Amino acid sequence: MDQHLFSLRYFLPQSEQGIIGGHEAQPHSRPYMAYLAIWHGNNSSFCGGFLVAKNFVLTAAHCNGDKIIVVLGAHNITKNESSQQVIPVRCQHPHQDYDKESHNNDIMLLELESKASLNGDVGLIPLPVAHQQMPPGNVCSVAGWGRTSAYNNLSSDTLQEADVEVMPDSACPRNRRGIYHDYNPSTMMCVGKKEKGKSSFKGDSGGPLVCQQTAQGIVSWGSEMGTPPAVYTRVSTFIPWIRKTMRMLQP
């Protein structure tokens, strides 16, 4: 166990995108969740991710870094839990068309240096069928260790979760001066009812949007204040890319 990794946890700066309006998850109820400790030189940040094969974690492309260490089987990320598996990333595979300005194609596969041991605390989450649509009105869930309020910089030691509703694309209007001007319905999902006030937020990037027990979305971006809706990468669009990339890298 890398103790240095966990001492860093107290002063990690925030990544691009905790859960607003959520609650603590039942420990190890989401065995697919991954915590990503990311370094850019001497600077560190963190993201979420999710295990899709024994040696692959799916996350957002903007969660890249010079070095990434993945922690699986965690609930309280500041504690040395016996359930945790700490595995360095061998190689980062961001989508070749990722655009950091528009957030388009915000998806990345992380190839792990060794295979995860699957057990009750660490497991895989299924991916959707290619190009499957998740109709508006479906209630899904999101989880992460990120910030729980726009009014402080505190992220959560324990995994937080919230139920969020899939919204029509029109709820993320592409007004030139609005925050959703780069919204792309073919590669993104608009999620979270404004009135409910529940949303992913800074530090949750890369975590999964789980609908009907499949990973339909990846936390990507949203408003500076964490007000819903937030924007998620539409995983079903990228199933051919995910399958091809994993096939190419399998020994």
Side-chain angles (χ1 to χ4, degrees):
M1 183 67 63
D2 188 346
Q3 295 298 332
H4 178 60
L5 170 66
F6 295 97
S7 63
L8 274 171
R9 183 67 181 82
Y10 289 102
F11 54 88
L12 285 175
Q14 302 307 318
S15 65
E16 286 301 309
Q17 264 285 60
I19 301 294
I20 302 282
H23 57 270
E24 185 174 342
Q26 183 72 23
H28 312 298
S29 59
R30 296 171 181 266
Y32 48 79
M33 286 296 297
Y35 178 95
L36 277 49
I38 304 163
W39 283 268
H40 290 274
N42 293 324
N43 297 319
S44 54
S45 60
F46 71 97
C47 272
F50 47 105
L51 195 65
V52 296
K54 286 183 180 179
N55 56 333
F56 285 103
V57 165
L58 201 56
T59 187
H62 76 261
C63 292
N64 65 325
D66 300 328
K67 176 186 176 185
I68 302 178
I69 291 178
V70 168
V71 185
L72 302 170
H75 179 65
N76 187 325
I77 201 64
T78 67
K79 288 190 161 48
N80 187 353
E81 299 166 321
S82 60
S83 57
Q84 292 177 4
Q85 298 178 36
V86 180
I87 308 176
V89 169
R90 171 181 288 161
C91 197
Q92 302 169 45
H93 302 276
H95 194 278
Q96 64 275 9
D97 296 324
Y98 167 58
D99 185 330
K100 63 181 180 183
E101 298 301 322
S102 68
H103 314 287
N104 204 21
N105 307 305
D106 190 11
I107 188 170
M108 175 167 64
L109 268 169
L110 302 177
E111 184 184 1
L112 304 181
E113 275 194 6
S114 58
K115 289 184 177 181
S117 299
L118 304 186
N119 54 41
D121 301 321
V122 174
L124 310 180
I125 186 169
L127 294 172
V129 175
H131 308 294
Q132 178 185 23
Q133 294 295 307
M134 189 51 54
N138 271 278
V139 176
C140 306
S141 66
V142 63
W145 288 272
R147 282 166 60 179
T148 55
S149 169
Y151 303 102
N152 62 53
N153 285 329
L154 299 174
S155 48
S156 178
D157 294 344
T158 55
L159 185 65
Q160 303 289 307
E161 64 183 5
D163 290 336
V164 286
E165 188 174 323
V166 178
M167 304 300 289
D169 293 321
S170 58
C172 290
R174 299 175 65 181
N175 303 334
R176 188 175 297 175
R177 298 184 180 210
I179 65 165
Y180 303 109
H181 60 271
D182 287 322
Y183 182 81
N184 182 335
S186 67
T187 58
M188 301 175 188
M189 296 173 70
C190 184
V191 181
K193 201 170 244 184
K194 194 167 189 178
E195 307 85 80
K196 294 282 178 78
K198 297 178 180 181
S199 187
S200 50
F201 196 41
K202 297 186 176 180
D204 291 327
S205 285
L209 177 74
V210 181
C211 309
Q212 297 164 9
Q213 300 177 315
T214 62
Q216 291 283 349
I218 302 172
V219 179
S220 182
W221 58 282
S223 84
E224 282 297 310
M225 298 302 288
T227 50
V231 180
Y232 294 71
T233 305
R234 190 182 291 277
V235 173
S236 65
T237 299
F238 297 95
I239 294 299
W241 175 83
I242 293 168
R243 300 288 183 217
K244 180 182 174 187
T245 306
M246 286 170 59
R247 236 186 354 257
M248 187 177 70
L249 297 167
Q250 289 293 8

